[in-house]
Amino acid sequence: MSAFNVVLGCVMALLVILCTISSMARYYIKFTIFIALSLICATVPVPLMLLKPFDPKNALIPSASLRVFAKVFGLSWTVRGLENVDNNRGSVVLLNHQSGLDLFPLAVIWPLMSRCTVVAKRSLQYLIPFGTATWLWGTVFIDRGAQTARDALNKQVQAIKDQKRKLLLFPEGTRHSGDRLLPFRKGAFHVAMDAGAPIQPVVVSKYHFLDAKRHKFGSGEFIVSILPMIETDGMSKDDIGALVEKTQISMQEEFARISSETLERHNSRVKAD
C-alpha cells in the first residue's frame, strides 16, 4: 500500500507540474478529468434510475453533481430569463452547441425546466455506460437524416402534447466555437408545429475560457439566457422558413450580446493576472 501511495503521489505531483508549466498539458488533463467526472456523475446513480426508467427526473442527480464539479473547474454562471419558463406547457427548447462542455449548461437548465428530454445522435447510446445512463433519463436518440430520426421525433409530438414534455435540441446540428451560429436545421420546427407547441430559445454565451486551437482551458464564466417563447400555434408549414429565420436572428443577437459581456470580463481577468 505504501508503494502505491508513493506512485500515486508522484503521478499527482507530475500532473500539478505539467498543469503549471504547460497550457497544452493543462488543456488535455482538464478535459480528461472532465470526461471522467461526467462518466462518474452519470453512471453512479444508475441503480436509482432503474426504479423509474426513462423519467427525465433521473437527470437531476447527475446534473447536481456536474454543477458542483463546474465550480471545481473554476466556472461560474448566471441564468437570465427564468420568467420565460412555463413548466405547465410542453415546448421545443433550442440550445446553441459549442463543445462537449455543453454538459455544464445542460446541468444548469435541467432543474429549471420540468420534464426536459434531450435529443442526441444515436452513437452516444453505444458509449456504455454513459449512453446507458442517458437512455435511462429519457434521451431521444436519432440517426440524423434517416427515416428513423423522423419517426423518433414524431413520437415526441404526442409526449409534448399529453405529458407537457420539453424536447431539447441543438438546431445547428453540430458544435462549433465561432462567433456566429450555424444555419438552423428545420426538424425541431416541424416538431413544434406538429405539436402546436412554442419554441423556447436558450442561448449560452461563448466559452471564452476555452480555446481548442490554442489548447487553452481556463476558468471563467458563461451566461444562460432563456428567451421568450415563440408561439407556433396556428402556423402552417408555409410559415416554417420565416419561423426558422426569426428564431435564428433572435438567438444570434442574444449570443452576440451576452458573449460580448462575458468577453469584457474575461479580458479584465486576463489583464489582472
Side-chain angles (χ1 to χ4, degrees), residues 97-102 121 144 172-178 182:
H97 196 11
Q98 301 183 69
S99 160
L101 295 185
D102 289 340
K121 56 186 179 181
R144 290 173 182 164
E172 297 164 283
T174 188
R175 58 193 177 191
H176 73 101
S177 57
L182 300 179

Side-chain angles (χ1 to χ4, degrees), residues 7 10 13 29 78 84 107 116 125 130 135 138 144 146-147 155-156 166 199 229 231 241 246 262 267-268:
V7 172
C10 290
I29 290 171
T78 303
N84 296 319
C116 189
Q125 186 176 8
F130 183 79
W135 177 62
R144 290 173 182 164
Q147 181 61 45
K155 289 180 181 178
Q156 295 304 311
K166 297 187 184 299
I199 298 288
M229 289 182 175
E231 299 293 342
K246 177 182 178 180
T262 54
N267 289 338
S268 296

Side-chain angles (χ1 to χ4, degrees), residues 28-29 64 70-71 81 113 122 124-125 133 140 156 166 173 175 187 193 198 219 231 237 241-243 247 268:
Y28 284 110
I29 290 171
K71 293 180 179 179
M113 295 188 175
R122 186 168 298 280
L124 178 64
Q125 186 176 8
V140 178
Q156 295 304 311
K166 297 187 184 299
R175 58 193 177 191
M193 283 187 173
S219 59
E231 299 293 342
K237 297 297 182 179
L243 178 62
T247 306
S268 296

Side-chain angles (χ1 to χ4, degrees), residues 119-122 141-151 153 173 185 187:
V119 176
K121 56 186 179 181
R122 186 168 298 280
F141 297 103
I142 63 171
D143 297 303
R144 290 173 182 164
Q147 181 61 45
T148 53
R150 290 188 285 273
D151 292 342
L153 291 177
R185 300 184 180 186

Side-chain angles (χ1 to χ4, degrees), residues 38-190:
S38 298
L39 182 64
I40 293 170
C41 291
T43 56
V44 168
V46 162
L48 292 176
M49 297 181 196
L50 291 171
L51 298 175
K52 199 171 182 180
F54 318 123
D55 187 340
K57 290 183 180 179
N58 284 335
L60 293 179
I61 297 176
S63 65
S65 301
L66 275 174
R67 291 194 300 275
V68 172
F69 287 124
K71 293 180 179 179
V72 172
F73 274 80
L75 302 181
S76 61
W77 58 88
T78 303
V79 179
R80 296 174 181 170
L82 277 175
E83 69 278 4
N84 296 319
V85 177
D86 186 352
N87 284 322
N88 294 315
R89 303 177 64 186
S91 63
V92 173
V93 181
L94 302 184
L95 186 71
N96 56 304
H97 196 11
Q98 301 183 69
S99 160
L101 295 185
D102 289 340
L103 279 177
F104 287 139
L106 281 174
V108 172
I109 293 168
W110 262 313
L112 304 178
M113 295 188 175
S114 299
R115 303 173 299 279
C116 189
T117 301
V118 177
V119 176
K121 56 186 179 181
R122 186 168 298 280
S123 58
L124 178 64
Q125 186 176 8
Y126 304 118
L127 295 177
I128 298 173
F130 183 79
T132 305
T134 60
W135 177 62
L136 285 171
W137 65 58
T139 297
V140 178
F141 297 103
I142 63 171
D143 297 303
R144 290 173 182 164
Q147 181 61 45
T148 53
R150 290 188 285 273
D151 292 342
L153 291 177
N154 287 337
K155 289 180 181 178
Q156 295 304 311
V157 169
Q158 209 59 40
I160 292 171
K161 289 181 177 179
D162 298 341
Q163 302 172 29
K164 299 178 181 177
R165 284 284 182 97
K166 297 187 184 299
L167 188 67
L168 191 151
L169 301 96
F170 298 100
E172 297 164 283
T174 188
R175 58 193 177 191
H176 73 101
S177 57
D179 294 324
R180 297 198 61 81
L181 305 183
L182 300 179
F184 285 4
R185 300 184 180 186
K186 295 181 180 179
F189 299 88
H190 281 290

